[in-house]
Amino acid sequence: MDRHGGAGRPMIYLDYQATTPLAPEAFEAMVPLLRDQFANPHSAHRLGRAAAAQVEVAREEIGRLLPGGGRLIFTSGATEALNIAIQGAPAGDIVTIATEHAAVLDTVEALGRAGRTVTILPVGRDGLVDMDAAAQAIGPGVALVAAMLVNNEIGVIQPVAALADLAHEAGALFLCDAVQGYGRVPIPDTCDMVAISAHKIHGPKGVGALWLRDGVKPVPLIHGGGQEGGLRSGTLSPALCAGFGVAARLMRERAEADRAHVEALAALARGLFTDWTLNGSADARYPGNLNLRRDGIDGARLLSYCRNVAFSLGSACASGSGRPSHVLRALGLTDAQARGSVRIGFGRYTTPAELESAAEALNMAAAAQAAP
């Protein structure tokens, strides 16, 4: 096998925006609840109450990284949380941004087909929303403004506090998709609803949450047993909730160490990928997400060649569609530039040596592909 795809070589994981490695501490917290403490947390007997207590401990821990007050509703993930927030919001117009996740854009598109007025705000070449267009669009009749804190494809941090102010001036609710930013970037206190996901912070897949400011009551999508205050019926998994809670606690306790580690890796990466161009703002961004492009390459071919490096061509949720990223197109990139882009994501468990090895493989493969 060649040096880029030998079967005996360990994989280097650089796809932290798609999912993060499960923290060992989260796994250890989950095992007893899967194996021994298996009672239904909605049962009234002692074992059920013990399981419910584990859920509430997790709920409180997760809430410590969210705005004060309000309540936290567990969901199956951020997609469900966003759907509850958007579909359950009061009737009226909706404003969002062209670079949002498909969980937002596809949901508002469906509401648009049902008769709601939807405005999609443009972004500049840096990926930041056009605030003049936002100020013009967010006015009387708007019921909901939805914006992502940290973009999942390009890492750009949107001015969500300013957007929330515009929403409130118009009498609208503000929904923040904080999936990529939770525990990493402060979430403004002015948000009315916040969607988050466990597996983006070293927790388990299959659980997320929607935080709601006091007084905000979306219409439920799922009906049944009335769990989660009637907003999300269905039996909760104490194991998943507990894993989420431990992951959130570690994000809080390790915040400074994680931040310093990611910033050091980002500084290292800047020197390793000098022949690449950064997509999106170089300043208003989360440093653990690098979306890079290079002339003369095709990202899909690069991914196939560098088989021992796990990186991405964009959102994992849209992979395989064959279409250039809607986020990169919104920045004004050509289809060729979008297809010549890759996303490299790193975090807590990435080592400098791994990043250096991955960069060597990517740079060699890109140079060979771009050669005349």
Side-chain angles (χ1 to χ4, degrees):
M1 288 272 184
D2 62 79
R3 64 181 290 116
H4 304 294
R9 301 183 69 211
M11 285 291 296
I12 298 173
Y13 187 76
L14 295 178
D15 201 15
Y16 269 59
Q17 281 67 51
T19 197
T20 53
L22 182 66
E25 297 91 338
F27 175 79
E28 291 167 5
M30 293 168 63
V31 171
L33 293 164
L34 289 167
R35 184 184 56 205
D36 304 318
Q37 302 165 28
F38 53 83
N40 188 320
H42 311 296
S43 296
H45 51 65
R46 182 168 59 87
L47 293 178
R49 294 196 303 272
Q54 295 291 325
V55 171
E56 295 312 309
V57 168
R59 196 190 308 272
E60 181 178 355
E61 192 61 69
I62 296 163
R64 296 180 71 172
L65 288 171
L66 290 163
R71 55 178 173 153
L72 187 81
I73 304 300
F74 282 113
T75 66
S76 64
T79 294
E80 184 185 3
L82 290 165
N83 270 265
I84 292 172
I86 296 169
Q87 296 192 56
D93 299 348
I94 301 171
V95 177
T96 189
I97 304 175
T99 52
E100 293 299 299
H101 192 278
V104 169
L105 292 179
D106 287 359
T107 304
V108 301
E109 180 184 356
L111 292 177
R113 291 195 298 268
R116 299 279 286 274
T117 298
V118 176
T119 299
I120 308 296
L121 298 173
V123 298
R125 290 193 68 87
D126 58 3
L128 293 171
V129 65
D130 183 330
M131 287 301 295
D132 290 335
Q136 189 171 20
I138 303 172
V142 173
L144 178 69
V145 178
M148 191 185 298
L149 177 59
V150 177
N151 188 270
N152 60 308
E153 290 198 32
I154 58 175
V156 168
I157 300 173
Q158 295 290 358
V160 295
L163 291 168
D165 289 342
L166 288 174
H168 295 154
E169 289 170 8
L173 295 175
F174 182 77
L175 165 63
C176 179
D177 174 353
V179 169
Q180 299 288 338
Y182 174 74
R184 299 181 177 94
V185 176
I187 299 172
D189 290 337
T190 48
C191 296
D192 298 302
M193 299 183 283
V194 179
I196 57 176
S197 178
H199 76 102
K200 306 296 188 178
I201 62 162
H202 307 289
K205 297 171 182 64
V207 62
L210 177 65
W211 176 87
L212 300 168
R213 180 173 299 286
D214 291 335
V216 176
K217 298 179 180 179
V219 176
L221 297 184
I222 299 175
H223 303 276
Q227 292 92 342
E228 295 300 276
L231 275 177
R232 202 276 178 178
S233 293
T235 301
L236 290 175
S237 165
L240 293 178
C241 294
F244 194 175
V246 170
R249 174 175 60 79
L250 292 173
M251 290 297 287
R252 179 173 54 82
E253 293 177 349
R254 297 185 53 139
E256 282 303 307
D258 284 350
R259 180 193 58 76
H261 180 61
V262 168
E263 288 181 353
L265 290 173
L268 175 63
R270 284 194 291 272
L272 295 171
F273 293 99
T274 54
D275 293 330
W276 299 71
T277 299
L278 180 70
N279 291 324
S281 172
D283 302 315
R285 67 179 305 103
Y286 170 65
N289 178 335
L290 295 180
N291 195 299
L292 306 168
R293 72 177 187 272
R294 185 165 170 171
D295 292 338
I297 73 162
D298 179 88
R301 286 178 57 197
L302 202 67
L303 187 65
S304 176
Y305 190 67
C306 300
R307 294 187 293 273
N308 284 84
V309 182
F311 61 98
S312 176
L313 307 182
S315 171
C317 302
S319 64
S321 68
R323 299 188 306 269
S325 159
H326 74 279
V327 173
L328 297 183
R329 291 202 309 269
L331 268 61
L333 270 62
T334 65
D335 283 358
Q337 288 175 323
R339 289 195 171 95
S341 298
V342 300
R343 183 184 67 185
I344 297 168
F346 40 82
R348 180 183 299 165
Y349 303 114
T350 310
T351 68
E354 287 177 322
L355 189 57
E356 289 170 349
S357 295
E360 180 184 9
L362 285 164
N363 284 328
M364 288 180 63
Q369 190 180 128

